[in-house]
Amino acid sequence: MKEILLQKIANTIACNLESTEDVGLFHGKTGTAMFLYAYARHTGRRQYEAWADRVLDEVYMAEKKSLTAGVADGYAGIGIGLAWLLQHDFVNGEADRILGQIDTLMFDCAEESLRSDMLYDSPVLSASVYLQWRLPLCHREQRTTWTTIVSEVEQKFVRSRESAHRGIHDKAGCDHFNRGTTDLCNRLWWDFVKQETKPFIGIEKTEEIVNQLQKDFVYDMPTVNARLSIVGLSLLSDK
């Protein structure tokens, strides 16, 4: 059953590649490329790797400065996806070259990214989340410099959030997503981003989600692929 579901996810994504416009992690091409690479390795089918290469090229060539800093839909999420691909040897190359533009946007422009982060209802410091994924690919000087930068910005982030949400019960990050198929997929992405290993939701529930997402094509084609991708990645990582 698991292999049947993975095949259904992969084929649905492949048929919907042209409709995916966003380049982000939770809703766009970054998440799609990650699943296609993982599925290609899982099955040995090179066509899925070729599709992943094409999608990743589109992500890499996208103008990052026009995006938000956010993990879900901005360049922090793209950086996390690229770091994951590098760490798992799905792509080859020097991390400093592949992630260089995102490093600049995240760390040299940390104040700007902080302002972008605070626009969300449940803000998450994107520079801090990205750094967790970037550290295994850093050399010592980068680790020291970037950790210092993020630590300083994090203090401002905490003060800003406390000010913005004083007197309000704030559910940050993945706890905010607790309703429906879309929110479940967002929660799965947050679990992934936070590098939390949790039992997957079960085959029957997975089949229900995949079937619902296929129906969602009618009105939400551009973002369905990334939602299917996190379900597929969770299946592949569930032993």
Side-chain angles (χ1 to χ4, degrees), residues 4-66:
I4 293 174
L5 280 173
L6 284 168
Q7 180 76 71
K8 182 184 289 189
I9 291 170
N11 289 345
T12 304
I13 288 173
C15 291
N16 194 41
L17 283 179
E18 299 302 326
S19 299
T20 306
E21 300 172 356
D22 193 292
V23 294
L25 181 61
F26 286 25
H27 311 297
K29 295 178 181 179
T30 299
T32 299
M34 291 164 64
F35 170 74
L36 289 173
Y37 277 120
Y39 187 69
R41 179 176 290 176
H42 178 71
T43 61
R45 298 174 186 172
R46 296 183 61 83
Q47 180 58 60
Y48 291 99
E49 183 178 359
W51 283 325
D53 287 341
R54 192 185 91 190
V55 173
L56 188 62
D57 284 343
E58 294 170 358
V59 171
Y60 194 72
M61 296 302 294
E63 178 50 63
K64 310 297 188 302
K65 291 181 180 180
S66 64

Side-chain angles (χ1 to χ4, degrees), residues 114-173:
L114 172 60
R115 285 192 287 271
S116 176
D117 290 333
M118 291 307 301
L119 296 176
Y120 290 91
D121 291 337
S122 296
V124 175
L125 183 58
S126 55
S128 178
V129 181
Y130 172 64
L131 181 61
Q132 294 176 38
W133 287 86
R134 186 65 169 93
L135 282 176
L137 303 167
C138 289
H139 55 69
R140 182 179 300 176
E141 182 179 349
Q142 290 172 327
R143 183 176 290 108
T144 300
T145 301
W146 291 341
T147 299
T148 300
I149 291 172
V150 170
S151 178
E152 292 174 353
V153 174
E154 196 161 29
Q155 294 176 32
K156 296 181 181 180
F157 172 80
V158 171
R159 289 196 298 269
S160 297
R161 192 170 67 171
E162 288 175 348
S163 175
H165 294 277
R166 187 170 291 117
I168 299 175
H169 180 60
D170 175 36
K171 289 188 174 183

Side-chain angles (χ1 to χ4, degrees), residues 62-80:
E63 178 50 63
K64 310 297 188 302
K65 291 181 180 180
S66 64
L67 302 175
T68 70
V71 172
D73 57 2
Y75 46 79
I78 293 174
I80 289 168

